Amino acid sequence: MESIREVFWNVPEGPWIVYTLAIVAVLIFVYAIVARFWVVWRRGKPEDRFHPFWRRIGAFIKTGIVDGLAHKRMLREPYPGIPHLLIFWGCVFLLLCAGVDFLSHYWFHSWTGGTPGLIHSLISDIGGILIFIGTIVFIVRRYAQKPGAFQERLDRSSDDLITVILILLVVVTGFFVEAFRIATIGPGTQEAAWSLWSPGGWIVGKAFADSSLGTLLTWHRILWYVHILITVGAVLYISLFYSRLNHIITSTANAFFRNREPKGALVPINLEEAEFYGVGEIGNFTWKQLLDLDACTRCGRCQERCPAYLSGQPLSPKKIIQSLKEHLLEESHYPFLTKVPQTSLITAQPEVAAEADPPRALIGEVIPEEAIWSCYTCGACQEICPIYAEHINKIIDMRRNLVLEQAKVPELAEPILSCIETRGHSCKGTTATRTDWEQGLDIKHLSEDSQVDLVFWVGCQASLEDRSVKIAQAFAKILKAAGINFATLGTEESCCGDPARRMGNEYLFQMQAVKNIELLKNYNVKKIVTTCPHCFNTIKNEYPQFDGEFEVIHHSQLITQLIKEGKLKLNSGINKRITYHDPCYLGRHNDIYEPPRRVLKAIPQIDLVEMQRSYWNSFCCGGGGGRFWIEEASGERISNLRLEDVIKTKADIVATACPFCLQMLEDAIKAKGLEESLQDLDIAELVELATHSSS
Ligand code: SF4
Ligand code: SF4
């Protein structure tokens, strides 16, 4: 005798009921997706997110199948991440099994007979068990656990409860259907042995072992109907309501269309052709930016890592996304229920905007201006977001609108932008020139000799700011000690444009970029090194947008290479406890985490300790996104919060690889009166100490 998988056992009318309901549910589901695309996402401007198509397909398969097994971003937070993965894989198993059930019912009968059928039953039950465990953990975490710091970010909306209850009921009723069938099987029979291949139903079935056959058959039929109706109800709920469950579709699409450009690069504006600059109303976003809003699951991971939010400033990346989403739905008049949980909103607004309500202004009413200016572009939100939302481009697009369309610039930013425009640097008030730091170092300029192997792009900070010039001096000495034939642009160097771009002045940025690219090309420059991660990111990742292709390396990479090649000897030890602060534009935006650490580890006697928040999880110093010049209007200074992380390591020195981070940390050290016990140094200064002492 061969085992047969009994899908419609005791329910002879089952097939037509299931397939009729399935067809209706699928049609409604497809209609809802098309309506969503047509009414909501299509409001956005065009954007090519299909190319490179095959690389996208490959990455999508890798993310969905390979990474899906252990979605790396999800597992950065194991507590919610693991149950989510259990539910994800449980659903995949169940959907595959349902597909096989359908195909084998009409055509491929052998798929559900004998050993394949038993394996099929096992996989299906494993899927159900995974979902069961995952949903229980979610319910306990969300509704039963005492409120803790992490729970601040959770929305306890009715939608969330309905979502987990629906998922849970689908699998629980499925187990009961199986259990009533298995309980009718007599002990010691071959069929009883086969029932072990359905472990979920087998365990539940033990509870009904003593029930009469009539009772079991009746309850089996009842539960079968309940199971089917709940399953179809779940599909309709996904289709007709703007529920969290929608992310099954939207976040999958978002993962496919995710950014494939360098992480640190902002999207350029075509200044000549654009009809308006930046985003001043919801339809000014691109369709992909609108899809981002739709895909957000309100998980709160971004908010929990946002330095602006954590320091008490009026910005939460999650709230930005959710408020934009609510506004999008108001404006789109999506034909189905468009309710978004109120706990997500920045401003208190009616749950669903009435038809007659005048449209709200995107900037000012939906998103407060202070929120737009509070971002440090640190990338912490994007790096943790499991659905690959891109917060920074949206915030910068709104800044662009404020600056270029409405001529609104924060008071403290205005003189910096003017300084870049008129003097070519961002160091307002300085009387120094770009070459003062070179005194006594005999630095060559490209105007004197362009036949060099390397151009040292010094950057405004390291050329002109008192504290940062020491980085340029130390690095120049290192290059000389290693025998590198290099030159600088001297007084011809001009601001790379990063502050202007991050402050929303795309026009000024592009002027700087075009001017610098032309200059570098005139000197036939091939390779550039910089000590500043902002210059590094801009020249490496953003100048190619304007036909400026150069090989760009950061000094941490070059020093590592020189040490490895034996061109730089670090013989003199530094017997200190050191911790390293990852600059956002080096780490998160460019994935350069190890080279600075390798440099530090190469210095004899250094005791390198990590801060709790390091690598991708590093905490911003407060100097990015133009915020170096714009003081925090409210809340705690970010650099003070970062200093707390440093202090916890009991380090004598905090090392970094960015002049902005160095200045921010130095200010925090002074503010706390720790100058005697804590030093901040760039890795170049430490290396120079180690080489200099040995000579
Ligand atoms: S980039 Fe940084 S500061 Fe800006 S919203 Fe994201 S986490 Fe917050
Ligand atoms: S934007 Fe991403 S990280 Fe933030 S709440 Fe939405 S899904 Fe979560």
Side-chain angles (χ1 to χ4, degrees), residues 532 547 658 686:
C532 174
D547 199 24
C658 169
L686 284 159

Side-chain angles (χ1 to χ4, degrees), residues 2-269:
E2 192 181 60
S3 66
I4 298 284
R5 185 171 153 79
E6 302 277 10
V7 179
F8 296 114
W9 179 86
N10 191 36
V11 198
E13 70 283 18
W16 73 263
I17 293 177
V18 166
Y19 297 128
T20 308
L21 287 176
I23 288 168
V24 172
V26 167
L27 285 176
I28 293 175
F29 181 75
V30 171
Y31 172 73
I33 301 275
V34 173
R36 187 112 155 208
F37 162 75
W38 199 254
V39 181
V40 183
W41 307 340
R42 212 173 57 98
R43 287 181 64 88
K45 290 188 301 173
E47 182 184 0
D48 181 8
R49 283 292 181 118
F50 286 89
H51 293 100
F53 187 71
W54 292 111
R55 245 185 71 206
R56 273 185 195 280
I57 294 278
F60 183 69
I61 292 171
K62 183 175 172 292
T63 310
I65 310 291
V66 183
D67 290 355
L69 274 170
H71 189 326
K72 287 177 202 145
R73 287 198 175 192
M74 270 305 172
L75 290 179
R76 281 177 172 170
E77 289 203 348
Y79 188 15
I82 290 173
H84 188 279
L85 282 180
L86 295 180
I87 295 172
F88 171 78
W89 282 105
C91 288
V92 170
F93 288 176
L94 287 186
L95 282 173
L96 286 177
C97 289
V100 170
D101 279 333
F102 171 70
L103 292 173
S104 63
H105 183 76
Y106 290 106
W107 300 287
F108 307 99
H109 305 297
S110 61
W111 287 6
T112 45
T115 307
L118 293 176
I119 293 171
H120 184 151
S121 293
L122 183 63
I123 292 174
S124 170
D125 266 43
I126 289 174
I129 291 168
L130 294 180
I131 294 174
F132 181 78
I133 296 170
T135 46
I136 293 295
V137 176
F138 267 177
I139 290 170
V140 169
R141 176 172 176 269
R142 192 169 285 268
Y143 299 101
Q145 212 162 321
K146 285 206 172 72
F150 80 92
Q151 285 197 323
E152 266 181 38
R153 73 187 197 196
L154 297 179
D155 297 330
R156 289 187 180 76
S157 66
S158 53
D159 168 47
D160 293 342
L161 191 58
I162 292 169
T163 301
V164 279
I165 298 277
L166 266 180
I167 299 172
L168 188 62
L169 282 178
V170 169
V171 292
V172 168
T173 53
F175 283 138
F176 271 87
V177 172
E178 252 186 338
F180 288 124
R181 180 183 63 79
I182 289 170
T184 64
I185 300 168
T189 61
Q190 179 66 63
E191 282 176 297
W194 288 334
S195 64
L196 288 171
W197 288 80
S198 303
W202 181 80
I203 291 169
V204 181
K206 291 279 170 207
F208 307 106
D210 298 331
S211 305
S212 70
L213 183 62
T215 307
L216 291 173
L217 290 176
T218 305
W219 276 106
H220 174 270
R221 277 178 70 81
I222 292 172
L223 261 295
W224 188 92
Y225 276 103
V226 172
H227 175 66
I228 295 299
L229 289 175
I230 291 175
T231 307
V232 172
V235 177
L236 295 182
Y237 187 69
I238 297 172
S239 310
L240 301 180
F241 292 82
Y242 243 99
S243 99
R244 183 184 284 264
L245 263 183
N246 278 245
H247 82 275
I248 297 169
I249 311 297
T250 50
S251 56
T252 308
N254 218 42
F256 177 80
F257 293 116
R258 64 193 272 204
N259 182 28
R260 292 274 153 217
E261 297 299 317
K263 285 191 286 183
L266 293 177
V267 177
I269 298 179

Side-chain angles (χ1 to χ4, degrees), residues 215-404:
T215 307
L216 291 173
L217 290 176
T218 305
W219 276 106
H220 174 270
R221 277 178 70 81
I222 292 172
L223 261 295
W224 188 92
Y225 276 103
V226 172
H227 175 66
I228 295 299
L229 289 175
I230 291 175
T231 307
V232 172
V235 177
L236 295 182
Y237 187 69
I238 297 172
S239 310
L240 301 180
F241 292 82
Y242 243 99
S243 99
R244 183 184 284 264
L245 263 183
N246 278 245
H247 82 275
I248 297 169
I249 311 297
T250 50
S251 56
T252 308
N254 218 42
F256 177 80
F257 293 116
R258 64 193 272 204
N259 182 28
R260 292 274 153 217
E261 297 299 317
K263 285 191 286 183
L266 293 177
V267 177
I269 298 179
N270 186 333
L271 292 169
E272 281 168 16
E273 291 179 12
E275 289 165 13
F276 49 83
Y277 298 138
V279 167
E281 51 188 71
I282 197 79
N284 297 159
F285 284 119
T286 69
W287 67 266
K288 170 58 181 63
Q289 289 179 309
L290 299 185
L291 174 60
D292 251 16
L293 310 179
D294 214 357
C296 171
T297 62
R298 312 194 305 271
C299 72
R301 285 170 171 81
C302 53
Q303 175 178 291
E304 200 171 69
R305 280 176 177 72
C306 173
Y309 178 80
L310 293 176
S311 64
Q313 293 176 66
L315 166 66
S316 151
K318 171 186 166 185
K319 289 175 181 173
I320 290 264
I321 299 279
Q322 283 296 310
S323 296
L324 289 174
K325 177 173 179 170
E326 188 210 36
H327 185 58
L328 171 66
L329 297 183
E330 281 171 9
E331 294 289 298
S332 303
H333 307 295
Y334 186 62
F336 302 121
L337 190 69
T338 60
K339 182 177 169 185
V340 178
Q342 287 303 293
T343 47
S344 302
L345 303 178
I346 287 179
T347 47
Q349 297 295 335
E351 289 191 357
V352 180
E355 283 282 322
D357 283 351
R360 290 190 285 153
L362 181 82
I363 297 177
E365 287 188 278
V366 178
I367 306 293
E369 282 182 33
E370 315 86 70
I372 295 169
W373 286 113
S374 293
C375 178
Y376 297 85
T377 67
C378 71
C381 48
Q382 299 189 165
E383 193 63 28
I384 191 71
C385 176
I387 58 108
Y388 304 98
E390 296 153 30
H391 310 71
I392 296 175
N393 267 317
K394 292 181 195 63
I395 293 171
I396 295 295
D397 274 339
M398 290 188 278
R399 276 191 192 177
R400 285 170 171 172
N401 188 274
L402 280 169
V403 174
L404 299 176

